[in-house]
Amino acid sequence: MVGSVDSPVITVASPDSNLAVELTRRGGFALRFRPGSYPQYDEATLAHQLAQLGRLARVAYLREYQREVERTGRVINDWDPNRRRYRQALRELAAAGASPSGNVQVTSTGLMEWWFEIQPGTLASFTEPQFVVEVEGAVANVIADHEARAVLLKDEFFGLDLPPSVREAIARR
C-alpha cells in the first residue's frame, strides 16, 4: 500500500456503477456519484444502491485487511474460544446513525449489512454535494456508534473494567 495515509486504498462501485466510495488508510471515506446520475434517482432506489455499496465496501475492506495481515506476518489469535465469541458478537452488533438534517437514517449489522432510509422529497431538496454530506455524516455516525458499542463488547468479553459512567454513556447512544 503505497501513498499517503489519506490517499484512497480501496475504491468500490455500486451494483449500478453510478456510485463509488473511496476508503482511506485512516478509516476515512468519500462518496461520489457518476456525473449526471444524481437526478436519475428516487429515494428508494438510491437507498437500495447505498445499502449494496456499504456491503461491497465492507467486503473490500476486510479483504484488504487480510492482505495486510498476511503481508506483515501478523498472527491473529483464532484458537481462543472467547475471542471467537467476541468476533461473532461483533458480526451481530447493531449500530445506527442519522445525517445532519435527519433526512437520511442508516442502520447496520456488523458493518456488513446496511439499510438506508431517505425521507421522501430529500433528493429534490438537496443538491448532490449537500446530499453527499448527508450520507457521509450518517455513515460516520453509524461507524462511531458501532465503535462505541464494540468497546462495551470488549469490556464484556475481556474485562476492561470500564467505569459504570462510561458504560452508561455508551449504552445511551
Side-chain angles (χ1 to χ4, degrees):
M1 294 179 6
V2 179
S4 76
V5 292
D6 289 325
S7 64
V9 174
I10 302 166
T11 301
V12 180
S14 61
D16 69 1
S17 299
N18 287 331
L19 300 166
V21 66
E22 293 179 342
L23 308 176
T24 65
R25 280 191 186 82
R26 284 194 211 173
F29 59 94
L31 177 67
R32 304 280 182 261
F33 281 84
R34 189 180 61 162
S37 64
Y38 179 72
Q40 298 173 11
Y41 281 111
D42 61 57
E43 284 82 1
T45 303
L46 184 52
H48 177 74
Q49 289 298 313
L50 287 167
Q52 298 305 308
L53 182 59
R55 181 174 179 74
L56 292 169
R58 182 64 173 173
V59 168
Y61 168 83
L62 292 173
R63 285 182 181 150
E64 182 62 28
Y65 177 80
Q66 184 61 40
R67 280 193 287 274
E68 276 297 298
V69 166
E70 291 169 3
R71 186 186 68 73
T72 61
R74 282 185 42 214
V75 175
I76 295 179
N77 175 359
D78 279 333
W79 56 267
D80 181 355
N82 194 48
R83 190 161 180 87
R84 285 195 306 269
R85 284 190 295 274
Y86 165 71
R87 282 201 206 114
Q88 181 61 37
L90 268 180
R91 285 189 290 274
E92 296 169 1
L93 189 60
S99 66
S101 71
N103 286 345
V104 179
Q105 303 284 325
V106 184
T107 56
S108 178
T109 302
L111 298 181
M112 181 64 78
E113 298 297 330
W114 292 82
W115 296 270
F116 285 74
E117 182 179 339
I118 304 169
Q119 295 302 311
T122 298
L123 298 181
S125 63
F126 285 93
T127 65
E128 180 180 320
Q130 291 170 327
F131 183 76
V132 166
V133 168
E134 290 289 301
V135 172
E136 289 176 349
V139 170
N141 287 333
V142 169
I143 292 169
D145 188 43
H146 181 272
E147 289 175 353
R149 292 175 189 280
V151 169
L152 290 179
L153 283 179
K154 285 179 186 174
D155 185 45
E156 178 185 333
F157 281 87
F158 305 114
L160 300 180
D161 285 332
L162 292 175
S165 61
V166 171
R167 280 191 221 115
E168 291 166 10
I170 293 171
R172 282 192 305 269
R173 287 183 56 90

